[in-house]
Amino acid sequence: DADVTQTPRNRITKTGKRIMLECSQTKGHDRMYWYRQDPGLGLQLIYYSFDVKDINKGEISDGYSVSRQAQAKFSLSLESAIPNQTALYFCATQERNTQYFGPGTRLTVL
Amino acid sequence: GQQLNQSPQSMFIQEGEDVSMNCTSSSIFNTWLWYKQEPGEGPVLLIALYKAGELTSNGRLTAQFGITRKDSFLNISASIPSDVGIYFCAGQKGSARQLTFGSGTQLTVLP
């Protein structure tokens, strides 16, 4: 079984809709991260969390919010989706300066 | 924004050739990581480097943590078709709480 899972794997939605992307991990790591990746580009950090009470904004947090429901779960929400949020979204956990990524969610906002 | 300069941006090579790519920065890093991403998948960790000067191999892959702590390279020997993908470097510096990623090297292996 995968250590970091993301649901859904693919999602198509319309402008203005609220969307939640979920991430779960079985690695027991305290640190979790959300990134977005646009075609041909690297990874941009949206939010990160060092434990359930520690949530921090990354470099592109506008338009996004997160919830750390438990050590193993970290959700990303788009309150009102817009087309330029169409991208690949990755969740990651971290231990000893090394990050481990989930398989990604491909989100399309029409 | 990104503070790691990764080069080359893309490479087209013949099967069997060796490949080299690198990342440089004006800042000192404590950790260097190399990831591979295949289409539709998340990045997968290839090699992690934690000490300046460290040289680590993983099969046909070899990576080094530069002695100045401002650079790292990844070599792939005797490339094969399944090496195709995007290779990312990433680093952690000082007391930073997150990684900094390079923009990736797109590798294409021609038969």
Side-chain angles (χ1 to χ4, degrees), chain B residues 76-91:
Chain B
I76 305 173
S77 63
S79 59
I80 59 178
S82 62
D83 289 334
V84 166
I86 303 175
Y87 292 79
F88 289 100
C89 64

Side-chain angles (χ1 to χ4, degrees), chain B residues 15-96:
Chain B
E15 184 176 355
E17 289 184 349
D18 297 343
V19 173
S20 184
M21 58 192 79
N22 69 84
C23 275
T24 61
S25 174
S26 57
S27 303
I28 289 175
F29 283 80
N30 297 328
T31 300
W32 284 96
L33 308 168
W34 285 94
Y35 290 88
K36 178 188 178 185
Q37 184 181 21
E38 298 188 12
E41 301 296 329
V44 173
L45 182 67
L46 297 174
I47 294 179
L49 302 161
Y50 300 109
K51 290 172 55 177
E54 183 179 355
L55 183 71
T56 298
S57 293
N58 178 5
R60 293 177 296 105
L61 278 61
T62 302
Q64 185 157 28
F65 192 142
I67 196 69
T68 65
R69 297 167 65 191
K70 294 182 179 181
D71 63 339
S72 178
F73 71 75
L74 174 71
N75 287 344
I76 305 173
S77 63
S79 59
I80 59 178
S82 62
D83 289 334
V84 166
I86 303 175
Y87 292 79
F88 289 100
C89 64
Q92 181 153 2
K93 55 181 178 177
S95 58

